[in-house]
């Protein structure tokens, strides 16, 4: 009798379970590709790329014809090609770059983007493309004035430190400069001319940028770019939640930074191999 009652109860339980509505996660594995940029980009043939266009050697917008160039622009073109698509560039600013990615205005953001924890709360980051860090750039004529180029040498009354708004350069300067004057300049494309013409004395930016600017402006000298004040890495910003697209961009970046592709693009602009 007890056995019969137990079997009867089990049959009833199975019947109820079968009639119950499916779990929201049920069948998700069958449709795991739904919504991934890894599939939608090849279908549309367009990869939307956010970039500031004001940070050579990584991204540069030519105001004359509206075309973009730079190390990361070349990488974006290669990424799009690998997805059977073409890049469409979406203009952004440093203050809005990760917001634009998070809001879906673009599929990826490129152009010397540094990985930071506040940014990582809004977007995913790909595998890094290179190591970098903040270092000073000054007029070569002022080398003796700034000695070894330490923060103590720079942070003095009478020195003007220039920053571009909204990015990690401004954050670093405001966190460490207490005595010198901080001057904000709205255009990153002309900011180094301010130093050349004496309207500012120092800019602290990524070592890669100081090397490039010293190369094209003989009046400027990068101080200890091989030993920057900080450690950072550059990468590409991606929408949160799209794991498959992130994995693909990671693999793309890993291959390009290990087979000589990225180093070749960087050498075209900087005359130095990646990571030097």
């Amino acid at each position: 009798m007890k056995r019969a009652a137990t079997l009867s109860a089990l049959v009833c339980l199975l019947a109820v379970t079968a009639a119950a509505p499916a779990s929201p996660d049920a069948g998700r594995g069958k449709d795991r590709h739904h919504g991934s940029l890894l599939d939608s980009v090849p279908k549309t043939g367009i990869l939307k790329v956010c970039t500031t266009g004001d940070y050579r050697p990584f991204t540069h917008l030519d105001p004359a014809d509206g075309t973009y160039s730079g190390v990361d622009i070349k990488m974006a073109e290669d990424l799009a090609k690998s997805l059977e698509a073409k890049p469409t560039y979406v203009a952004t600013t440093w203050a809005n770059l990760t917001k634009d990615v998070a809001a879906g205005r673009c599929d990826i953001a490129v152009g010397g983007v540094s990985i930071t924890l506040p940014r990582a709360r809004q977007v995913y980051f790909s595998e890094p493309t290179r190591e970098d860090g903040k270092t000073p750039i000054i007029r070569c004529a002022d080398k003796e004035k700034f000695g070894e180029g330490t923060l103590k040498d720079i942070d003095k009354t009478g020195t003007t430190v220039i920053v571009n708004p909204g990015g990690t350069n401004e954050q670093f300067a405001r966190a460490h400069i207490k005595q010198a004057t901080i001057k904000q300049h709205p255009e990153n494309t002309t900011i180094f001319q301010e130093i050349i013409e004496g309207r500012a004395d120092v800019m602290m930016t990524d070592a890669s940028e100081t090397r490039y600017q010293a190369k094209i402006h003989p009046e400027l000298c990068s101080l200890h770019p091989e030993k920057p004040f900080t450690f950072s890495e550059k990468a590409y910003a991606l929408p949160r939640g799209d794991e498959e697209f992130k994995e693909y961009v990671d693999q793309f970046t890993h291959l390009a930074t290990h087979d000589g592709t990225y180093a070749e693009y960087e050498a075209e602009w900087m005359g130095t191999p990646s990571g030097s």
Side-chain angles (χ1 to χ4, degrees):
M1 291 292 292
K2 288 184 178 180
R3 184 180 179 188
T6 301
L7 288 173
S8 177
L10 180 59
V11 169
C12 290
L13 178 61
L14 290 172
V16 171
T17 303
S23 164
D25 292 331
R28 184 169 289 179
K30 295 180 181 179
D31 195 28
R32 66 185 185 280
H33 298 293
H34 179 70
S36 175
L37 289 168
L38 186 59
D39 299 295
S40 63
V41 169
K43 288 178 181 177
T44 62
I46 296 173
L47 178 70
K48 295 182 293 182
V49 181
C50 275
T51 194
T52 62
D54 65 354
Y55 187 16
R56 292 181 290 184
F58 302 105
T59 176
H60 173 65
L61 173 63
D62 188 333
D65 59 15
T67 60
Y68 286 89
S69 60
V71 177
D72 284 343
I73 298 302
K74 294 279 284 184
M75 289 283 283
E77 291 171 354
D78 286 354
L79 175 62
K81 185 177 180 181
S82 76
L83 292 167
E84 303 172 46
K86 292 184 178 181
T88 295
Y89 297 103
V90 179
T92 187
T93 64
W94 290 108
N96 293 324
L97 185 143
T98 51
K99 296 176 186 175
D100 285 342
V101 176
R105 297 188 183 95
C106 48
D107 306 322
I108 186 171
V110 311
V113 183
S114 297
I115 300 173
T116 68
L117 293 178
R119 286 173 175 170
R121 292 180 63 182
Q122 299 183 64
V123 297
Y124 281 167
F125 279 104
S126 70
E127 181 169 312
T129 55
R130 69 167 355 260
E131 292 183 7
D132 222 323
K134 303 303 178 190
T135 204
I137 186 168
I138 62 169
R139 289 181 296 275
C140 296
D142 289 342
K143 262 190 168 183
E144 191 172 319
K145 173 183 175 181
F146 289 103
E148 296 181 1
T150 65
L151 284 170
K152 187 177 180 180
D153 293 327
I154 293 167
D155 191 17
K156 294 179 179 179
T157 302
T159 296
T160 299
V161 176
I162 196 163
V163 299
N164 54 313
T168 57
N169 292 337
E170 181 180 19
Q171 293 167 12
F172 180 80
R174 295 196 183 281
H176 294 90
I177 298 302
K178 306 301 177 185
Q179 304 300 321
T181 299
I182 295 178
K183 176 182 177 181
Q184 194 177 82
H185 187 74
E187 294 185 10
N188 206 32
T189 53
T190 59
I191 198 167
F192 296 96
Q193 198 63 35
E194 296 295 297
I195 302 175
I196 292 171
E197 296 180 8
R199 291 187 288 271
D201 302 304
V202 187
M203 182 176 180
M204 291 180 289
T205 185
D206 294 322
S208 53
E209 184 175 33
T210 65
R211 283 193 179 103
Y212 175 75
Q213 292 296 332
K215 176 185 174 183
I216 64 173
H217 297 297
E219 310 95 320
L220 299 178
C221 284
S222 173
L223 302 182
H224 55 76
E226 72 288 345
K227 293 182 179 179
F229 294 134
T230 62
F231 167 82
S232 67
E233 291 179 313
K234 296 195 179 300
Y236 304 129
L238 308 164
R240 280 178 55 183
D242 194 336
E243 306 290 344
E244 294 184 10
F245 186 59
K246 181 187 183 307
E247 288 177 8
Y248 183 83
V249 176
D250 280 344
Q251 288 300 310
F252 165 83
T253 306
H254 181 81
L255 291 172
T257 54
H258 286 76
D259 67 7
T261 300
Y262 184 87
E264 179 183 338
Y265 294 157
E266 199 169 73
E268 290 176 11
W269 281 79
M270 298 170 64
T272 56
S274 177
S276 63

